[in-house]
Amino acid sequence: MAHGSWQPNTEPRPLLERQRELQALDSALSDLREAADGMQRARSTGLLAFTGPAGLGKTALLTKARAGAAAHGFHVLSARAGENDQELAFRLVRQLVQPVLATMDETERRAFLGSWYDILAATLGLEATDTAHTPDPTGVRDGLDWVMTRLVAMKAPLVLLLDDLHWADFESLGWLASFAPRAADLPLLIIVAYRPDELQPDAAAFRTVVERHGDRPYPLARLSAAGVARIVRDELGEGVEDEFCDECWSVTGGNPFETIELAIRLGERKLTGAQDELPAMRDLAAAVKGPGLIESLHALGTATVRFAHAAAVLGPPVSRELAATLAVIGSEEAVESTEKLRAARILAEAEGPGGGIEFVHPLIATTIYRSIPSGLRVGLHDRAAEAVRAAGFGPTAAARHLLEVPCEGRPEVVDCLREAAREYLRAGAPEAARRVLSRALQEPPLPEHRAALLHELAGSTFLIEPTATASHLQEALAEPDVDPHLRASMVYRLTQALAHTDRLAEAATVSADEARLATHPRIRLRMQGDHFVWSAFRADEPDSSARSRRLARLAERLTGRGLEERYILGSRAWDAMVRGEPRHTVLACAEEALGGGLSWTDETRGFEVPVSVALAFMYSDQPHRAEELFTAGIAECERKGWRGSHLALGQTLYGYIRYRRGCLADAEQLAREGLRIADRVEGAVPAQWFAIGILIQTLLARGRTTEARRLADSYHYGEVVPNAVIYPDPRTVYAELLLAEGRHAEAAALLSAVGDWLDARGTGNPSWCPWQLHLASALAPTDPATAVGHAQDAVQRAREFGAASVIGQALRTLAEVTGGPSAVDLYAEAVDHLEQSPASYELARALIGHGAALSRGGRVQEAADRLYRGLEGAVHCGAEALAARAREELSAAGLRPLPLRYAQADTLTGQERRTAELAVQGQPAAVIAKELRLTEQGVRQLLSCVYRKVGTDAAGLAKALETFPRPRS
């Protein structure tokens, strides 16, 4: 149900014995004013919390806060949770935001929310145009952060008042916990009130934020006897006897709410506070709460009692018409009942745009709700579900009541709960969807609907409890006569859940078994494709070579017709790459796989294959193509609101592409962002492994070994070996770190183990995992002959694959471990290959190594050219340590560094563009040199710049130039 922003319904009274809290409130509002006026750079906190049991004046303090904010001219948004709100996802958020959205027409709302509209529509109670997309909780939280930040910008300074948060729904509390720390950096103050002993266990994150980011929660104390006496005398006069006041303090326990209510009733009865009036006072005190309150309610008449019961079941603020429907009374009786309940200080008019009525205090609502006989309460909830649905409040409002109704096997209840679950999933609230689907399963559904319901339940638990997902799906698959296409979807989701719980062997077995059972040829093909995917990512796969042969034979018969075939061709491209087959095979399969498109957000397919296909281009020296695919895939994830582990992995692997190109600053930034996202997403451990490894590699390339070590230690990287295949391989990355620290023996032992594992899998491409190159470096100081042997073997494997970047990298390593005069020619060959690749960092390393070798051989002039170019490349890459080495080599050779040329790295010059176009036409270097009046060496260097700037080799240049920006005229 949509309601307006909450406002208190009680008249403000002086707050006694709250000087500390009022001072904190005044200080926070003053700080906000100074921050908004630019007089204060930063505030220590943008969060203020008041806590305490019911009735101690938390709401009164928020009322004071509202008045104080108004006095400063601040805009206020407010919300209050109700006792039954925990079953309504994002109800608190909606209370905050909906009043603002209600002031806009549809066009204005769409303009305000922009690209977030369809992601957040269900969350905010709006009508979405794209109901097929299901955002993840992280995406929804990001969107709500954006909306609130936009509201702050529109209405600054802004104060949020949030009352009774112990009753708030899980989703709203989760968002608040993540957003609240940002308040100090915005012209925003968040003031919250809650009962700490009644916070739910799953509110731990919220409690932590309040305790760490607020000054501290302000726990409210009960009133002293003097405070109670002051309230009583303010109502009855100064003639109230001390003994009377003391007894008032005794019966109320110093509870401000009960004291004020008692004083009001004493005044209404015209009592004077004499000692002989104590029995009457005790009777009135009893009527404020508990059995006395219920007795007073029943004295108002049957119709009024039914109306109060209906209001308690519906929850505040209550529509009088809806309460009357539920109470089965007429409109005139509803008006009369409302007046009686207002006179008895049980109900009051709710202020704000939503209107309606609400209880004077939550204590009263709770007491009345719990006084309803259980059978009657169940019946009221049952009728309430029908009434709110008929009134247009939607399936989630009805589902909240159905959760309180016993299971009776009613199909209409199951349908409503399933519809509510779909709405919750579109709102990014899988936990709420799980609750209602679990209830629907207990109803139970009709036998023919049970498998589909279990499938939906599994989908709701996937992000929060993948183990439960597997259990639900195994149960669903045991149901008879499941539709084949639904069964295929179940099997895929089951294998996903098994993979996410590190049970890849089971995932591969399930899909293989299903492929044998499938009778529909397309479904069989799909199951085979899933089997190949999960098998490829099994670190303990028993016979990788046999699986690769089966995959190759199957792929040869396919043409890319249909998604099932394209996924298998994509798996074939990846498998051929890691095994080191000729790269033209890899690229041909990758292009066939992309022929009809591969979506990153197909919920029935996953994005493992689309990502693998994109990276196959990177490993094959066409990173520009990989970047195009990643840009499109990440944008697809963001449009759909998938901003959790999918986005984390996308950002991280995009950083890996930039690393491979030598754009180290970009790579570091992207990997850090991927790790940041992965860190805040529960269950995103695989994404963390990718991000940590890529970030460590990047830091090592930049020469920041100490920082890389701190990162590894903080995540215990290197101590645990995952069961899944991760790239870059974690053990190889950790060995790189050990090498950078000079721990050669440890690195060699680790890399030997990696080599045994990969050789057993038939994974021999050094472009994918250069373990042999690092092992050669580790062994060179103690066993140079073995080191040379490993490097030579890696060179041979690199040549078989055919990517110039890895051939050059392998030749450089061979030169390093060979040493002496022989190294000069090896370095020269490495440079020749790397100049034909997009690998800027590797080229800089080879140039500097070649220059150093030439210098030591007395060929200083030749060395100068290599060292200058290597220094310039290292600086452009952001490889500080490599640049420092180049300067040292120049100094040792008696050369002074020249001023660096900082040519734009993201555009081609006119001459470079023309050279590239002639090369694409097939013109040899001699012809291009003659037309452009250059030397052939000059043409080769121009083309090398083109490959590095565009991000491709010669084979991919024609296609890359189609989308690469032209130089400005």
Side-chain angles (χ1 to χ4, degrees), residues 196-265:
D197 294 340
E198 296 184 37
L199 272 177
Q200 298 298 311
D202 54 18
F206 167 75
R207 190 192 295 270
T208 299
V209 165
V210 171
E211 292 174 355
R212 289 184 181 175
H213 294 276
D215 291 334
R216 63 183 181 277
Y218 285 87
L220 304 187
R222 294 179 178 274
L223 295 177
S224 66
V228 171
R230 184 69 271 153
I231 291 173
V232 173
R233 287 183 172 126
D234 282 346
E235 191 70 34
L236 305 184
E238 296 299 326
V240 178
E241 296 179 9
D242 290 343
E243 293 80 0
F244 189 92
C245 290
D246 289 344
E247 190 64 18
C248 288
W249 177 71
S250 178
V251 298
T252 62
N255 184 294
F257 165 72
E258 294 180 25
T259 302
I260 291 170
E261 289 297 312
L262 173 59
I264 291 172
R265 283 166 170 74

Side-chain angles (χ1 to χ4, degrees), residues 51 63 118 198 219 256 265 303 330 400 403 443 597 624 738 776 945 954 956:
T51 67
T63 302
D118 281 326
E198 296 184 37
R265 283 166 170 74
R400 194 267 281 184
L403 292 174
E443 185 64 15
H624 175 74
L738 294 173
C945 287

Side-chain angles (χ1 to χ4, degrees), residues 437-623:
L437 287 171
S438 296
R439 170 63 181 77
L441 191 63
Q442 295 167 1
E443 185 64 15
L446 296 172
E448 59 268 27
H449 296 157
R450 181 176 172 79
L453 177 54
L454 283 164
H455 182 227
E456 293 165 12
L457 179 56
S460 72
T461 60
F462 180 71
L463 294 175
I464 54 179
E465 197 178 350
T467 302
T469 296
S471 176
H472 295 317
L473 289 168
Q474 287 164 339
E475 186 179 351
L477 289 168
E479 291 290 316
D481 302 323
V482 178
D483 175 80
H485 294 282
L486 175 60
R487 185 177 181 88
S489 181
M490 290 176 179
V491 171
Y492 171 70
R493 180 67 82 177
L494 173 58
T495 57
Q496 260 195 325
L498 292 170
H500 276 65
T501 51
D502 215 15
R503 296 154 66 186
L504 280 160
E506 288 181 65
T509 300
V510 166
S511 51
D513 290 344
E514 198 66 23
R516 284 191 290 271
L517 294 173
T519 56
H520 192 289
R522 284 282 151 184
I523 292 177
R524 184 187 311 114
L525 201 59
R526 176 182 172 177
M527 293 298 105
Q528 289 175 314
D530 288 350
H531 169 70
F532 288 130
V533 169
W534 301 125
S535 297
F537 287 98
R538 276 185 65 184
D540 60 347
E541 187 181 13
D543 194 349
S544 297
S545 298
R547 185 255 309 161
S548 291
R549 289 192 296 272
R550 292 196 304 273
L551 174 58
R553 287 196 298 270
L554 179 58
E556 284 176 1
R557 305 199 303 266
L558 305 180
T559 62
R561 181 175 61 90
L563 202 54
E564 296 83 4
E565 293 190 10
R566 294 201 298 277
Y567 266 70
I568 290 174
L569 288 166
S571 293
R572 168 64 179 142
W574 178 258
D575 190 66
M577 185 277 299
V578 297
R579 301 183 76 80
E581 296 183 35
R583 73 185 188 118
H584 61 78
T585 300
V586 175
L587 293 173
C589 289
E591 291 292 0
E592 282 187 286
L594 292 171
L598 291 175
S599 170
W600 281 37
T601 61
D602 186 333
E603 295 181 43
T604 65
R605 300 282 178 173
F607 79 151
E608 292 83 3
V609 171
V611 167
S612 299
V613 169
L615 290 176
F617 287 100
M618 176 194 76
Y619 288 112
S620 302
D621 275 358
Q622 294 186 18

Side-chain angles (χ1 to χ4, degrees), residues 874-906:
V875 171
H876 278 295
C877 288
E880 295 98 338
L882 185 60
R885 184 197 165 195
R887 293 188 181 97
E888 290 171 2
E889 294 290 350
L890 284 166
S891 177
L895 299 167
R896 297 176 60 187
L898 296 173
L900 299 176
R901 298 163 295 173
Y902 287 94
Q904 286 183 300
D906 56 350

Side-chain angles (χ1 to χ4, degrees), residues 12-49:
R13 288 173 171 267
L15 292 179
L16 300 176
E17 301 178 358
R18 296 290 182 257
Q19 289 80 7
R20 182 190 60 151
E21 290 80 8
L22 291 171
Q23 184 177 0
L25 181 57
D26 289 341
S27 177
L29 290 171
S30 297
D31 286 350
L32 179 60
R33 166 52 63 202
E34 291 179 5
D37 291 343
M39 298 169 61
Q40 182 176 309
R41 286 190 177 182
R43 294 175 290 154
S44 59
T45 180
L47 178 65
L48 191 60

Side-chain angles (χ1 to χ4, degrees), residues 392-403:
F393 290 117
T396 57
R400 194 267 281 184
H401 294 287
L402 291 175
L403 292 174

